[in-house]
């Protein structure tokens, strides 16, 4: 009888945990168990840095799994959300002063307790990430990982041609210098303008303070992206779950 190369190998390494790898992959949304077996057979899966084989087991709460080189978060207890925070909502899960807070928008949609990654002041709006993955949240917020953030701002105009170069060269604020990675004028209307800027800063009110310092105070501020995650057409006050690809892109953004 010819040898079946798809059969489990008896000498395959056994990873800690009681679940077969194809079951873990399927539960994480990679595909059907049969499709996941095919991925393993084609050596497209690694567990803890080793190429997986049919018959391997994995613990989704502890083992590090990659599919085609992209990190897969296989722990189904972890939640990753994008939210479009409306203006006037404070970036806390609950507010002791009774103001509208983030939990007012997600309490009926998510069973797990989640926390916001970073914050937007009450007068600002746009993209927030919420998760119960403390390790990833810490890395996304820590300045050493340099995760970029993009903002669309309505400011006082007109905008001089030299402003982009000036922001890229660095502006000195009271708590230190800040530089902008990219800057462009999106639109102009009378004495106001819409500008988009990207920077790796997370200091409090940094965008408002920066633009005020160069003579263009902000009337409206919307965060449109955090690293690889974009706000897109998500309506104000709504949330959505990140896809596996988006979660993998976040891990990649923090070097995992």
């Amino acid at each position: 009888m010819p040898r079946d190369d798809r059969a489990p190998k008896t000498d395959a390494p056994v990873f800690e945990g009681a679940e077969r790898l194809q079951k873990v992959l399927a539960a994480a949304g990679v595909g059907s168990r049969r499709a996941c077996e095919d991925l393993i057979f084609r050596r497209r899966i690694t567990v803890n840095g080793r190429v997986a084989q049919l018959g391997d087991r994995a613990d989704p709460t502890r083992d590090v799994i990659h599919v085609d080189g992209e990190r897969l978060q296989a722990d189904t207890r972890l939640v990753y959300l994008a939210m479009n925070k409306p203006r006037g909502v404070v970036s806390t899960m609950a507010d002791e002063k009774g103001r509208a807070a983030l939990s007012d928008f997600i309490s009926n949609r998510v069973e797990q307790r989640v926390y916001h990654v970073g914050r937007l002041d009450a007068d600002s709006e746009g993209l927030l990430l919420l998760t119960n993955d403390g390790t990833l949240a810490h890395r996304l917020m820590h300045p050493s990982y340099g995760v970029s953030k993009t903002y669309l701002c309505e400011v006082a105009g007109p905008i001089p041609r030299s402003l982009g170069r000036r922001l890229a060269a660095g502006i000195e604020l009271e708590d230190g210098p800040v530089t902008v990675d990219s800057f462009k004028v999106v639109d102009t209307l009378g004495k106001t303008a819409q500008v988009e800027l990207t920077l790796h800063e997370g200091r409090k009110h940094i965008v408002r303070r920066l633009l005020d310092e160069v003579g263009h105070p902000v009337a409206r501020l919307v965060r449109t992206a955090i690293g690889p995650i974009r706000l897109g057409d998500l309506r104000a006050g709504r949330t959505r779950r990140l896809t596996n690809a988006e979660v993998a892109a976040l891990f990649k953004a923090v070097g995992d």
Side-chain angles (χ1 to χ4, degrees), residues 168-186:
I171 302 297
E172 189 70 35
L173 300 179
E174 66 273 12
D175 55 352
V178 58
T179 58
V180 169
D181 301 314
S182 67
F183 174 85
K184 67 178 179 180
V185 177
V186 177

Side-chain angles (χ1 to χ4, degrees), residues 156-211:
I159 306 297
R161 292 178 178 272
S162 61
L163 183 58
R165 294 192 299 273
R166 184 180 174 191
L167 293 173
I171 302 297
E172 189 70 35
L173 300 179
E174 66 273 12
D175 55 352
V178 58
T179 58
V180 169
D181 301 314
S182 67
F183 174 85
K184 67 178 179 180
V185 177
V186 177
D187 196 10
T188 58
L189 181 62
K191 294 182 179 180
T192 64
Q194 280 191 344
V195 300
E196 181 185 82
L197 64 160
T198 299
L199 66 167
H200 287 75
E201 284 278 358
R203 283 179 277 170
K204 189 174 182 179
H205 304 310
I206 188 67
V207 175
R208 292 182 182 275
R209 292 192 290 127
L210 172 65
L211 292 174

Side-chain angles (χ1 to χ4, degrees), residues 9 47 68 79-80 84 104 110 126 128 132 140-141 143 146 154 158 172 218 235:
K9 300 177 183 296
V47 180
D68 291 333
V79 176
Y80 305 88
N84 186 347
D104 297 330
V110 183
L128 271 178
N132 56 355
L140 289 171
M141 289 187 290
E154 183 179 302
E172 189 70 35
V218 175
R235 293 167 55 189

Side-chain angles (χ1 to χ4, degrees), residues 28-177:
V30 175
S32 68
R33 290 197 191 182
R34 181 64 176 175
C36 293
E37 288 175 355
D38 188 64
L39 291 174
I40 298 169
F41 176 72
R42 296 179 184 278
R43 301 174 60 85
R44 293 170 59 183
I45 310 294
T46 63
V47 180
N48 300 330
R50 298 182 62 179
V51 176
Q53 301 179 50
L54 290 168
D56 286 351
R57 296 175 180 269
D59 180 348
T61 69
R62 300 182 62 182
D63 291 324
V64 178
I65 301 172
H66 285 78
V67 181
D68 291 333
E70 299 292 332
R71 172 75 179 267
L72 173 71
Q73 183 47 268
D75 188 347
T76 56
R77 300 172 304 174
L78 297 179
V79 176
Y80 305 88
L81 302 173
M83 176 182 180
N84 186 347
K85 186 191 87 66
R87 191 170 187 172
V89 176
V90 294
S91 291
T92 58
M93 300 312 295
D95 182 63
E96 60 184 14
K97 297 180 180 179
R99 295 173 294 181
L102 302 179
S103 60
D104 297 330
F105 298 86
I106 66 170
S107 58
N108 295 328
R109 304 178 189 178
V110 183
E111 294 181 359
Q112 297 90 336
R113 187 176 183 181
V114 296
Y115 304 90
H116 53 92
V117 178
R119 60 178 57 239
L120 286 169
D121 63 72
D123 290 331
S124 299
E125 54 198 289
L127 182 62
L128 271 178
L129 300 180
L130 301 105
T131 183
N132 56 355
D133 186 337
T135 300
L136 180 61
H138 170 74
R139 293 181 180 184
L140 289 171
M141 289 187 290
H142 200 283
S144 65
Y145 289 94
V147 177
S148 65
K149 301 174 183 67
T150 301
Y151 301 86
L152 184 66
C153 304
E154 183 179 302
V155 301
I159 306 297
R161 292 178 178 272
S162 61
L163 183 58
R165 294 192 299 273
R166 184 180 174 191
L167 293 173
I171 302 297
E172 189 70 35
L173 300 179
E174 66 273 12
D175 55 352

